[in-house]
Amino acid sequence: MQCIGKDHPKVDGKGLMTGKLGYTDDLADPSSLIIKVLRSPHAFAKITEINLNGADEIPGVECIITHKDFKRIAVTRAGQGYPEPSPHDKFVLDNVVRHVGDEVLAVAAINEQLCLKALDIIDVTYEVMEPVLDFEKAIGHQSIIHSEEECHEMFPIGFEPSKNIAASYSMNVGDVDEDFKKCDVVVEHSYYTQAQAHAMMEPHTANAHIDFQGRLHINTSTQTPFHVRRIVATALDYPMSKIRVIKPRVGGGFGGKQCVHGELILAAIALKTEKPCKIVFTREEVFESTFSRHPMRIDVKLGAMKDGTMKAFDVNILSDTGAYGEHALTVFMVAGSKVLPMYNKVDSVRFTGDIVYTNHTPGGAYRGYGAIQGNFAVESCIDLLCEKLEFDPVKFRQKNMIGLGETSPIFEIMGEGTEGTAMFMESCKLDYCVERGLELMKWNEKYPRVANGRKVRGVGMAIAMQGSGIPHIDMASAVLKFNDDGFFNLLIGATEIGQGSDTVLSQIAAEALSVPLDKIIVYSSDTDLTPFDTGAYASSTSYVSGNAVKNAGDKMKELLIKEAANTFGVDISEISYEGLLIKTKDGSQEITLADLGNRLIYNEDQKQLIADGSFVGQKSPPPFMAGFAEVEVDTLTGKIELIDYVAVVDCGTTLNPHLALGQVEGGLVQGIGMAMYEEVIINSKGAQVTNNFMNYRIPTRKEITNMQVEFADTYEESGPYGAKSVGEIGIDTPPAAIANAVYNAVGVRIDTLPITSEKVLTEILKSKKL
């Protein structure tokens, strides 16, 4: 292959590194009105009065909007497929605020100082209500967070707002209770995962204006421009045909920009004032007023025989969706669908749970999207089971994990296979990933621990699987336009958010057309000019969008061969296509791609060649990973240091190895952050203590000193040139692998993330008293 499997630099990398304008705020009109939002100081309250105190009369204050300016239209801000599997429980502005940082009203003025002056003199009177701050007490709590009659589900998702339940789910295979009775060993344990902030470099920002045709243009740092257009149109009861959404360059998303945030207020003010305007979130607003990862309590029960055969698997989850239900059900589902099928030899499985409302900052999409929470609990409990079985945890996984050509009934039940059938593993080298990871970690020399006085090193491991888009739902499309001089425009709705998708999709187009990469000029994510794409989420871009690009490329190649045949006056069967040169097979005639382009545009047989391609996955082929952690624990202080992390990944063909490596390493760092450092801390009044980078700790190069990543040599037949996804798989294993390594080092199990020195020392001291 000419372009696939090669380390091409990002097509936008040099320009961005040298300071070329490209990010959302770079594109704002210099005369834009500045928008600032007054946010709730209370976790749960009803707005009884808003006294502007003349704020609307301050010269330069152009607009103040409150809940009274909007129709009562309930939407979900989740950028997902349609109809959305999230409850419609959010209004542009409401007379009830449901978390600290929720929107109360917005001011637009000619500068920020005037906005702040206006906000400072506005008085809001609240009827403060008792908040729900403990998600384990949410069901049946006397405070009902959503009692609005407009709130609804688009289809049955277990929505019971009167009980503070945003969604619920249950499924089972076999008879779990009976199979547990047959097991030699049964273990059950509860695990807790915390809220985690996205901590992307670029805050949420958007700007808008009305063009000369009276259409609303929105530039926004989003992962889902087409979903943004639909949600804005619905919430404002405004024609979708009069809205254009453009995604410029994005400075990191990680799922946090999969939802609508400031765009609704921005659009409303742009339409009301008919002036350009912009909104840029402060870092405090990003933490408090957007989304975090869903905290969960995960109850796991496992049963097995003495020979290491796993027989029964029972998982119940309680998930905290916060004040609104964006992504409530789907994150929960992924906690099961991307974890339970890994152990497909089991006789029976049960997966149940509820997703509850609280008065916390809402939960939303975050890289790993439920899989990391489920993986931490299950992979930790697997080690607990192996300890009681007196069975090697690596051998147990190798005995029970999914393999090439195998399937799991869970795929069909939870929507991961083709219609009416389960998905079979047509590519799976999880066994290789485990074996190679053992070698790289030098596992046999280090397991379970190596002591050096008061400091003890231990190793732990975990396996993971993810997905490649959402089958039967995620759709992507692409258009290729052939130009004079022989180059191509690639128009894609796929959303570049820093991961390199513009580059990788250009490589796929170049490979299909057998041309150098510089012959592909890519333009992405403009709802007017590019074809539809669901956006950058669910690990869909390489697989779903990549297949769409390949389909368009294959069609364009056919058109080029046809036009060359017409030029030569021969049948298409006589054409030899070589990319930049097309000739007859006997060598008597030839034409360069550039000359063919000029001929079609300017001279004979004039026409514009355009090819399109679309793709909807019929399955979601999983990437796999084995992760291995080595930690050092100081037994006197509990201090933990991550000495080494090894990851071996099966993601099919690595379309661009350098970019794939960056995706895995970036995911690992975020997973390590969740495992050891990051935690959204909320005080007794529902306010975030960790709402800035001084208080919210993320790992840096100083903490992560050594990391080894390798890729298995695999090929997924259904993927573009053999590729599966790679964007999320790296994040999943660190929490469980590190927790298992800590236990192997000092004999204490930490079941509540993050794994801190304080928790480890507390458990060490407890164990000494027993």
Side-chain angles (χ1 to χ4, degrees):
M1 289 188 279
Q2 295 181 2
C3 277
I4 297 303
K6 306 295 192 299
D7 287 335
H8 293 280
K10 290 183 181 180
V11 294
D12 60 353
K14 185 177 180 180
L16 295 178
M17 287 295 292
T18 54
K20 298 293 189 296
L21 300 182
Y23 291 96
T24 299
D25 200 37
D26 295 334
L27 305 183
D29 190 306
S31 66
S32 291
L33 299 176
I34 305 301
I35 297 172
K36 286 292 181 180
V37 177
L38 181 66
R39 299 188 179 277
S40 172
H42 304 293
F44 193 27
K46 184 175 182 179
I47 299 168
T48 58
E49 185 181 358
I50 297 176
N51 190 337
L52 298 183
N53 293 325
D56 54 335
E57 298 175 0
I58 298 174
V61 172
E62 298 283 331
C63 178
I64 298 177
I65 58 172
T66 72
H67 63 274
K68 295 179 181 179
D69 294 294
F70 297 94
K71 295 180 181 179
R72 295 281 296 175
I73 301 174
V75 298
T76 174
R77 294 173 295 178
Q80 297 179 273
Y82 183 82
E84 301 101 336
S86 295
H88 284 221
D89 57 12
K90 185 72 173 73
F91 303 91
V92 180
L93 292 171
D94 196 6
N95 67 334
V96 176
V97 287
R98 296 178 175 84
H99 66 95
V100 174
D102 208 352
E103 301 99 336
V104 175
L105 56 82
V107 174
I110 58 174
N111 60 50
E112 184 175 350
Q113 290 73 24
L114 287 173
C115 279
L116 297 176
K117 180 179 179 181
L119 292 177
D120 188 53
I121 67 174
I122 295 172
D123 287 327
V124 180
T125 304
Y126 300 92
E127 177 190 332
V128 179
M129 297 179 281
E130 181 184 349
V132 181
L133 298 178
D134 184 342
F135 79 109
E136 293 185 282
K137 297 178 180 178
I139 298 177
H141 196 284
Q142 67 179 19
S143 294
I144 299 173
I145 296 172
H146 286 280
S147 57
E148 321 90 279
E149 62 182 16
E150 297 91 349
C151 291
H152 61 278
E153 56 190 347
M154 296 293 281
F155 54 87
I157 62 171
F159 181 54
E160 295 185 82
S162 64
K163 297 180 181 179
N164 287 329
I165 297 176
S168 60
Y169 179 79
S170 66
M171 76 90 184
N172 70 281
V173 176
D175 192 327
V176 173
D177 295 325
E178 283 300 313
D179 282 335
F180 275 126
K181 295 176 184 177
K182 302 173 186 176
C183 293
D184 292 328
V185 172
V186 175
V187 297
E188 51 186 319
H189 200 79
S190 295
Y191 300 86
Y192 289 82
T193 62
Q194 79 279 38
Q196 182 185 18
H198 297 86
M200 73 285 286
M201 291 297 291
E202 179 200 29
H204 300 265
T205 180
N207 53 75
H209 70 274
I210 309 298
D211 71 7
F212 60 87
Q213 293 181 339
R215 298 179 72 240
L216 173 64
H217 286 232
I218 301 173
N219 295 313
T220 178
S221 180
T222 181
Q223 296 174 225
T224 54
F226 286 92
H227 293 320
V228 169
R229 180 179 65 176
R230 185 188 72 251
I231 294 167
V232 169
T234 302
L236 300 183
D237 193 23
Y238 194 74
M240 193 184 301
S241 61
K242 297 185 74 173
I243 301 173
R244 178 184 183 185
V245 177
I246 301 170
K247 177 215 68 69
R249 313 321 293 167
V250 175
F254 313 123
K257 294 175 180 174
Q258 191 182 333
C259 299
V260 170
H261 293 290
E263 292 94 341
L264 298 179
I265 287 172
L266 171 82
I269 290 177
L271 291 171
K272 186 172 182 176
T273 63
E274 296 188 353
K275 294 182 178 181
C277 50
K278 74 174 186 176
I279 184 169
V280 179
F281 281 42
T282 65
R283 187 58 61 179
E284 180 177 317
E285 286 178 309
V286 174
F287 275 101
E288 292 184 345
S289 305
T290 61
F291 296 140
S292 62
R293 189 185 296 284
H294 291 78
M296 293 184 183
R297 186 197 72 211
I298 306 165
D299 305 319
V300 184
K301 186 176 181 180
L302 302 176
M305 308 306 292
K306 289 180 180 179
D307 67 354
T309 301
M310 194 168 169
K311 287 191 67 66
F313 206 154
D314 191 5
V315 177
N316 178 270
I317 296 178
L318 185 68
S319 177
D320 179 2
T321 192
Y324 301 100
E326 288 95 354
H327 301 275
L329 178 65
T330 41
V331 167
F332 169 90
M333 293 281 284
V334 171
S337 66
K338 306 303 185 195
V339 179
L340 304 180
M342 288 196 302
Y343 295 100
N344 67 325
K345 312 300 191 297
V346 69
D347 291 341
S348 56
V349 180
R350 181 164 56 208
F351 179 62
T352 57
D354 298 300
I355 307 95
V356 296
Y357 288 116
T358 64
N359 293 111
H360 294 152
T361 297
Y366 192 133
R367 191 181 204 167
Y369 201 84
I372 186 172
Q373 293 101 309
N375 189 278
F376 166 63
V378 169
E379 287 296 283
S380 295
C381 205
I382 289 289
D383 267 33
L384 181 63
L385 175 65
C386 290
E387 181 187 12
K388 292 205 171 184
L389 280 172
E390 297 182 348
F391 204 97
D392 183 281
V394 175
K395 290 184 171 60
F396 182 89
R397 288 176 171 86
Q398 291 171 319
K399 180 180 178 72
N400 291 282
M401 67 191 188
I402 198 166
L404 183 65
E406 297 178 351
T407 188
S408 165
I410 297 171
F411 287 133
E412 181 182 355
I413 294 171
M414 301 188 76
E416 299 294 323
T418 56
E419 296 286 355
T421 61
M423 175 175 60
F424 284 83
M425 299 300 98
E426 296 179 9
S427 63
C428 177
K429 280 198 173 181
L430 182 55
D431 53 350
Y432 169 83
C433 294
V434 172
E435 289 291 347
R436 180 59 179 154
L438 293 172
E439 294 176 11
L440 292 172
M441 180 53 76
K442 298 180 180 178
W443 181 270
N444 293 334
E445 299 175 20
K446 300 175 180 179
Y447 178 78
R449 71 187 63 83
V450 177
N452 181 18
R454 60 188 262 188
K455 294 186 177 181
V456 184
R457 291 189 177 187
V459 291
M461 63 92 65
I463 58 174
M465 61 173 278
Q466 198 66 43
S468 299
I470 306 172
H472 318 297
I473 294 177
D474 284 353
M475 191 274 276
S477 47
V479 170
L480 275 165
K481 179 169 72 77
F482 182 51
N483 300 299
D484 47 326
D485 205 37
F487 70 96
F488 302 85
N489 290 115
L490 173 62
L491 307 178
I492 48 176
T495 312
E496 166 73 66
I497 57 173
Q499 81 280 40
S501 63
D502 279 0
T503 305
V504 168
L505 296 178
S506 295
Q507 288 179 249
I508 292 173
E511 189 69 40
L513 293 165
S514 301
V515 298
L517 187 59
D518 62 7
K519 294 296 181 183
I520 307 295
I521 309 302
V522 63
Y523 182 76
S524 60
S525 305
D526 180 331
T527 59
D528 269 9
L529 302 183
T530 61
F532 181 84
D533 191 288
T534 53
Y537 64 89
S539 295
S540 62
T541 303
S542 291
Y543 183 77
V544 179
S545 304
N547 267 318
V549 171
K550 186 176 184 302
N551 290 342
D554 291 342
K555 285 185 182 180
M556 177 57 76
K557 182 177 177 179
E558 292 176 3
L559 292 176
L560 294 170
I561 290 173
K562 179 181 177 181
E563 293 303 324
N566 289 340
T567 299
F568 298 150
V570 300
D571 188 78
I572 60 173
S573 63
E574 297 300 313
I575 296 297
S576 174
Y577 178 89
E578 299 177 3
L580 296 179
L581 183 68
I582 308 174
K583 58 185 180 181
T584 56
K585 290 181 178 178
D586 63 8
S588 61
Q589 300 183 73
E590 63 180 39
I591 189 171
T592 66
L593 204 59
D595 287 343
L596 180 61
N598 290 328
R599 174 187 174 90
L600 293 175
I601 297 298
Y602 298 115
N603 301 315
E604 303 174 45
D605 300 323
Q606 289 172 284
K607 65 189 69 171
Q608 176 69 70
L609 295 191
I610 294 178
D612 67 288
S614 297
F615 182 79
V616 179
Q618 299 303 301
K619 62 177 187 174
S620 180
F624 296 95
M625 174 177 155
F628 300 80
E630 181 180 7
V631 301
E632 182 175 82
V633 183
D634 188 323
T635 57
L636 292 185
T637 65
K639 182 181 179 182
I640 317 162
E641 289 188 40
L642 181 64
I643 303 302
D644 193 9
Y645 204 94
V646 168
V648 185
V649 179
D650 163 14
C651 62
T653 300
T654 49
L655 299 169
N656 186 314
H658 181 70
L659 295 183
L661 178 64
Q663 286 291 287
V664 175
E665 289 183 339
L668 285 172
V669 171
Q670 288 178 306
I672 292 165
M674 182 174 175
M676 301 177 67
Y677 301 100
E678 300 182 48
E679 183 176 19
V680 174
I681 299 174
I682 299 172
N683 68 19
S684 60
K685 295 184 179 180
Q688 284 194 25
V689 177
T690 52
N691 60 3
N692 57 68
F693 282 136
M694 290 294 290
N695 295 333
Y696 188 84
R697 187 181 180 195
I698 59 175
T700 67
R701 188 66 180 85
K702 185 178 178 180
E703 286 81 26
I704 301 175
T705 56
N706 196 34
M707 187 180 291
Q708 302 178 68
V709 177
E710 283 191 3
F711 295 96
D713 183 12
T714 59
Y715 190 92
E716 169 59 42
E717 191 66 38
S718 68
Y721 300 107
K724 297 187 283 190
S725 74
V726 74
E728 291 184 275
I729 187 65
I731 200 171
D732 290 336
T733 61
I738 292 170
N740 291 334
V742 168
Y743 178 79
N744 287 334
V746 292
V748 298
R749 293 196 181 276
I750 307 300
D751 51 25
T752 303
L753 295 179
I755 304 165
T756 63
S757 299
E758 293 84 355
K759 291 177 184 178
V760 172
L761 181 59
T762 298
E763 293 303 315
I764 289 174
L765 294 176
K766 282 183 182 179
S767 67
K768 289 181 178 180
K769 292 179 181 179
L770 296 177

